Amino acid sequence: MNDFDWLLRGLYTIRWSVSAELRNDEEFILAAVAKHGSLLKHASVRLRNDKQIVMAAIKNDPLAIQWASAELKNDEEIVFSAVTKDGRALEHASLQLRSSNKRIVMAALENDSYYAIRWEFVSAELKNDEEVILAAVAKDGWLLQHASLELRNNKRIVMTAIANQPFAI
């Protein structure tokens, strides 16, 4: 094992204490986040805005998106990649993407094994979208509470919610 591999191995298990120069070194940071995506939090501001580095980080840790730049949290490709691996990553997307991008919200729903999507970030428009709410209540009937009043009155949606969770009504 060379010195570079030794340093990368140690970074995850010990406190990060490398120089600003290494935190700004593209090759070093790319190698680090490819092994442990959460190490993105230690990258320089410039590298947190590097699409290749952020994609490498979220490839093995989709929640590493939380340390990406605001610009990349608004990048549909980056956010979609993260939420298709872990729906909880939706929380770290830009307000614009997490509130009104149906494709991203649907992907987050499909990949939310923890039932942890933060519905307060989803727009009223999507809470009134039959496809979105049907997918949500099919996964967890309790999510009926986040549907618009109109959709809470939709027989198909309510029956789907009850089939999943009898006490959802």
Side-chain angles (χ1 to χ4, degrees):
M1 175 164 41
N2 64 34
D3 290 343
F4 188 69
D5 289 333
W6 179 84
L7 183 58
L8 284 177
R9 179 182 288 188
L11 288 177
Y12 193 70
T13 57
I14 61 172
R15 195 175 159 175
W16 185 283
S17 57
V18 299
S19 69
E21 183 180 334
L22 276 180
R23 291 174 192 242
N24 200 37
D25 182 296
E26 289 175 44
E27 180 186 0
F28 176 76
I29 293 297
L30 186 59
V33 301
K35 290 183 184 266
H36 302 287
S38 64
L39 292 176
L40 182 62
K41 66 184 164 189
H42 299 294
S44 68
V45 171
R46 178 180 73 84
L47 295 181
R48 289 184 198 190
N49 194 40
D50 183 296
K51 192 169 184 172
Q52 179 187 8
I53 287 173
V54 172
M55 286 295 271
I58 63 176
K59 185 175 183 178
N60 68 55
D61 182 358
L63 298 179
I65 192 173
Q66 66 190 294
W67 295 294
S69 69
E71 181 181 332
L72 292 182
K73 288 178 182 180
N74 196 42
D75 182 293
E76 189 170 345
E77 181 184 1
I78 295 266
V79 173
F80 187 75
S81 180
V83 300
T84 56
K85 291 175 181 60
D86 189 332
R88 296 175 300 166
L90 181 67
E91 181 178 345
H92 304 291
S94 70
L95 182 60
Q96 177 185 352
L97 291 180
R98 69 182 178 214
S99 70
S100 58
N101 187 304
K102 183 176 177 176
R103 177 176 173 248
I104 286 178
V105 171
M106 290 293 287
L109 264 172
E110 290 170 20
N111 298 287
D112 183 24
S113 56
Y114 299 95
Y115 306 107
I117 287 181
R118 305 278 304 273
W119 280 88
E120 64 268 25
F121 297 127
V122 177
S123 69
E125 178 185 340
L126 289 180
K127 289 178 183 177
N128 194 40
D129 185 297
E130 189 170 345
E131 183 182 8
V132 171
I133 296 302
L134 196 55
V137 299
K139 189 163 183 106
D140 181 0
W142 289 113
L143 296 177
L144 180 63
Q145 66 186 314
H146 299 291
S148 68
L149 190 53
E150 179 184 336
L151 291 183
R152 281 187 260 158
N153 221 7
N154 179 305
K155 192 175 192 176
R156 181 175 174 215
I157 289 175
V158 173
M159 293 302 287
T160 302
I162 293 170
N164 181 284
Q165 178 49 257
F167 301 107
I169 57 171

